[in-house]
């Protein structure tokens, strides 16, 4: 575990110190400054997709957009985005024979147990990160890589090699797959709920709030597993120090004690206290404001220009109990 430890698996003061290094970049105020950039990017992505008429929604729309945002934050060339997507697929698809280099439940994966997702692709990501680190070390860049390479957390301990590798990899994966799948699910969910789509077309001012329902209904991350640090009791269940505890975000998002008609997509649902980014804990998704603005801008533009869209084949789901992913969604679409 230690070999794979990133921000996400670090506790206490060290976690706070590391998170503080980059958290300013992700504040709602800071991500709001990306609005013009995001609008331009969305428009280009959608222009290209609609020009084709028939296309794979994942390839043309959902995958392209979040990875280009990430490329800007990391300050890496747009030409590298295809490679970043491929690495993400190979790692997060650890359970899917189409994507995994080595299936996680195979004996062979033991060889890679010290790598994130037990995936040899992680070594390629580390090497790519090393080169970027070499270029930026000691310079005054403001991109995320420069911040983690040159910044000193307020506990005085710079990130060592492992910290750099695992956190660089976390940034590459966390901002990419999750947002991509949320965009595809949301389009699919709107096609399945034409009344909701029509409502948003007639009431575009409802889209910013509807993003919360997009996130709840998509539940792109099924679960995280944590380890109890002390004996405790939770909702009547005894948990001992060292026990593995799985938090099912997807299940929390369908909790009928919290949500009326949890299996219904209702874009006016308010309150909407979903668990898609975690909830209330110290590891609450650092990128949540960024993901929210990406989703808002994408669907403001997409819903605004959509004349018709229909699926032309099956929705192809990722085989995974970790990420609720969609690999392909072929569609035919026209714009107004
Ligand atoms: C819809 C999109 C996203 C979803 C569903 C999502 C989901 C999550 C979840 C469930 C966690 C763990 C929460 C916990 O343990 O309490 C998390 C943590 C994190 N996310 Fe996201 N995320 C998304 C987008 C992003 C983006 C765009 C970025 C940045 C580029 C990002 C960066 C991170 C980081 C760095 C952490 C670790 C935070 C920490 O440990 O302190 N995420 N995310």
């Amino acid at each position: 575990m230690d070999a794979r430890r990133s921000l996400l698996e670090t506790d206490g003061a060290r976690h706070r110190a590391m998170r503080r290094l980059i958290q300013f970049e992700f504040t709602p105020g800071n991500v709001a400054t990306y609005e013009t950039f995001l609008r331009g990017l969305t428009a280009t992505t959608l222009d290209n997709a609609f020009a084709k008429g028939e296309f794979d929604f994942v390839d043309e729309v959902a995958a392209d957009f979040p990875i280009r945002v990430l490329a800007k934050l990391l300050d890496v060339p747009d030409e590298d985005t295809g490679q970043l997507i491929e690495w993400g697929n190979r790692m997060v698809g650890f359970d899917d024979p189409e994507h995994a280099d080595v299936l996680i439940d195979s004996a062979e994966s033991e060889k890679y147990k010290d790598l994130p997702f037990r995936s040899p692709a992680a070594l390629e990501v580390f090497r790519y990160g090393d080169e970027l680190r070499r270029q930026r070390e000691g310079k005054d860049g403001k991109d995320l890589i420069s911040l983690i390479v040159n910044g000193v957390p307020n506990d005085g301990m710079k990130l060592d090699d492992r910290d750099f590798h695992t956190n660089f990899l976390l940034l590459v994966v966390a901002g990419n797959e999750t947002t991509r799948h949320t965009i595809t699910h949301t389009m699919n969910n709107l096609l399945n709920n034409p009344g909701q789509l029509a409502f948003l077309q007639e009431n575009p001012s409802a889209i910013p709030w509807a993003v919360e329902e997009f996130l709840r209904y998509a539940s792109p991350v099924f679960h995280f597993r944590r380890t109890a640090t002390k004996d405790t009791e939770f909702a009547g269940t005894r948990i001992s120090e060292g026990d593995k505890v799985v938090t099912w975000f997807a299940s929390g998002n369908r909790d009928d004690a919290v949500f009326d008609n949890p299996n219904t997509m209702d874009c006016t649902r308010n309150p909407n206290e979903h668990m898609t980014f975690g909830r209330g804990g110290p590891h609450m998704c650092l990128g949540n404001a960024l993901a929210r603005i990406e989703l808002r801008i994408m669907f403001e533009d997409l819903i605004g220009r959509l004349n018709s869209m229909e699926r032309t084949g099956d929705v192809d789901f990722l085989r995974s109990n970790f990420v609720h992913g969609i690999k392909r969604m072929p569609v035919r679409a026209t714009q107004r």
Side-chain angles (χ1 to χ4, degrees):
M1 175 66 225
D2 266 347
R4 288 185 273 128
R5 192 182 301 281
S6 72
L7 190 64
L8 206 45
E9 300 90 4
T10 304
D11 288 330
R14 180 65 177 158
H15 168 252
R16 286 192 295 279
M18 282 168 58
R19 186 165 162 129
R20 207 164 285 151
L21 265 191
I22 50 171
Q23 73 186 12
F24 173 76
E25 302 310 303
F26 294 103
T27 58
N30 196 53
V31 301
T33 64
Y34 301 145
E35 172 119 13
T36 310
F37 162 73
L38 292 172
R39 284 211 181 281
L41 193 56
T42 310
T44 313
T45 304
L46 293 178
D47 287 348
N48 292 340
F50 278 102
K52 294 195 166 149
E54 269 192 59
F55 52 93
D56 175 22
F57 189 87
V58 176
D59 260 358
E60 296 297 327
V61 180
D64 201 54
F65 173 65
I67 200 72
R68 284 183 192 273
V69 177
L70 200 66
K72 182 176 163 69
L73 294 179
L74 299 173
D75 192 19
V76 300
D78 277 351
E79 303 86 80
D80 291 0
T81 53
Q83 179 65 73
L84 293 173
I85 291 177
E86 199 228 344
W87 281 325
N89 286 343
R90 284 163 62 198
M91 290 186 291
V92 175
F94 54 72
D95 242 349
D96 187 322
E98 183 187 339
H99 283 166
D101 298 325
V102 178
L103 285 172
I104 202 152
D105 56 359
S106 67
E108 202 196 341
S109 90
E110 263 314 287
K111 280 199 285 193
Y112 304 105
K113 68 178 181 345
D114 287 342
L115 293 173
F117 308 108
R118 291 192 171 213
S119 170
L123 291 171
E124 295 170 36
V125 178
F126 293 167
R127 273 198 296 276
Y128 177 77
D130 283 340
E131 176 55 22
L132 297 168
R133 173 166 58 170
R134 202 188 52 71
Q135 293 164 8
R136 297 177 194 188
E137 207 148 33
K139 310 239 170 72
D140 59 358
K142 298 285 176 269
D143 60 278
L144 284 177
I145 298 169
S146 296
L147 293 180
I148 61 172
V149 169
N150 298 316
V152 184
N154 66 4
D155 60 2
M157 285 188 289
K158 273 194 85 162
L159 273 62
D160 61 17
D161 258 15
R162 183 212 61 191
D163 294 336
F164 174 73
H165 282 155
T166 54
N167 285 297
F168 173 69
L169 187 140
L170 171 68
L171 289 169
V172 168
V173 173
N176 166 21
E177 296 270 333
T178 48
T179 317
R180 177 204 322 171
H181 297 316
T182 309
I183 293 172
T184 315
H185 277 295
T186 299
M187 193 65 247
N188 191 34
N189 293 335
L190 289 170
L191 294 177
N192 289 337
N193 293 273
Q196 294 293 301
L197 179 56
F199 166 74
L200 295 176
Q201 288 201 298
E202 281 153 29
N203 302 280
S205 63
I207 295 175
W209 181 250
V211 165
E212 301 308 312
E213 184 69 347
F214 297 168
L215 286 159
R216 183 190 76 89
Y217 214 60
S219 290
V221 181
F222 284 133
H223 79 272
F224 267 34
R225 192 186 72 176
R226 299 300 195 181
T227 308
T229 55
K230 58 180 182 202
D231 294 349
T232 187
E233 194 174 312
F234 184 73
T237 300
R238 285 207 51 72
I239 297 171
S240 304
E241 182 180 337
D243 277 357
K244 306 292 184 194
V245 179
V246 178
T247 48
W248 285 95
F249 305 121
S251 170
N253 279 346
R254 294 289 188 277
D255 184 349
D256 57 12
V258 178
F259 302 103
D260 292 336
N261 303 317
N263 294 319
T264 302
M265 184 186 200
D266 173 4
C267 291
T268 63
R269 189 184 289 282
N270 193 351
N272 194 339
E273 304 210 323
H274 62 76
M275 304 208 51
T276 300
F277 295 121
R279 192 152 197 99
H283 294 277
M284 162 92 183
C285 176
L286 189 57
N288 77 81
L290 179 61
R292 284 178 159 120
I293 194 174
E294 287 184 39
L295 291 166
R296 172 171 69 75
I297 289 175
M298 169 53 73
F299 282 97
E300 280 177 349
D301 193 344
L302 178 49
I303 289 172
R305 63 164 90 191
L306 193 66
N307 179 47
S308 70
M309 187 181 286
E310 58 189 354
R311 284 173 299 244
T312 54
D314 291 340
V315 178
D316 192 1
F317 288 90
L318 183 71
R319 184 184 142 182
S320 173
N321 74 352
F322 171 51
V323 164
H324 189 201
I326 295 183
K327 296 191 284 191
R328 282 171 284 269
M329 186 170 88
V331 296
R332 183 181 305 122
T334 58
Q335 55 184 337
R336 291 172 167 174

